[in-house]
Amino acid sequence: MAIRTTTTRPMATRTALAGTVMAILTVGPTAGVAHARSDLDCADFAYQEDAQAEFDRDTSDPNRLDEDQGPDDGIACEVLPRRSVAAADVPAVSVATPLPTLGVQGGVGGSTGPAGFERAIGVALALGGVGLAGAHVVRRRRARNRSARPLAGRLTDR
């Protein structure tokens, strides 16, 4: 008499379903980021007036164009050159404008690294993957041990 073990068909279906759900949960939250409007910074503009026009559209400054040393003064990208003006408007002494010191927030490029929530998501996904892999190994070992025990041993365990 042959003892029927669990078939692999339901297991394969559950595995495929779990993989699909994991892929959706992993990619789903980042789908909006792929279609997000790119962040503008001072390097995207040739002249200060162009940056100022963008800043004036939304003075809440989502692009952080007014990030220089000192308090926000409503002047965007002060380090950029201005369009040529009449000679009478040009001061005799040129005043040096300080460079922004806040990296990307200052609009001059650079990298600030991932945000705190991005690290938390990465750690959670890594731990989830390790946990799933461990559970899979434990489950396979238990199934292998059950099928290796003789029939008499299985009947007495109940």
Side-chain angles (χ1 to χ4, degrees), residues 22 26 118-134:
M22 285 300 294
T26 303
E118 291 170 337
R119 287 186 185 160
I121 290 173
V123 168
L125 288 173
L127 291 176
V130 169
L132 286 173

Side-chain angles (χ1 to χ4, degrees), residues 23-57:
I24 290 171
L25 290 176
T26 303
V27 177
T30 60
V33 175
H35 301 292
R37 189 179 128 216
S38 63
D39 186 35
L40 297 174
D41 58 16
C42 291
D44 295 324
F45 301 100
Y47 295 103
Q48 189 276 333
E49 290 84 0
D50 298 331
Q52 188 67 41
E54 179 64 31
F55 175 79
D56 291 340
R57 282 190 209 149

Side-chain angles (χ1 to χ4, degrees), residues 42 48 51-53 55 65-66 73-80 82:
C42 291
Q48 189 276 333
Q52 188 67 41
F55 175 79
L65 297 176
D66 184 21
D73 54 5
I75 301 173
C77 300
E78 297 173 55
V79 296
L80 291 177
R82 300 187 188 279

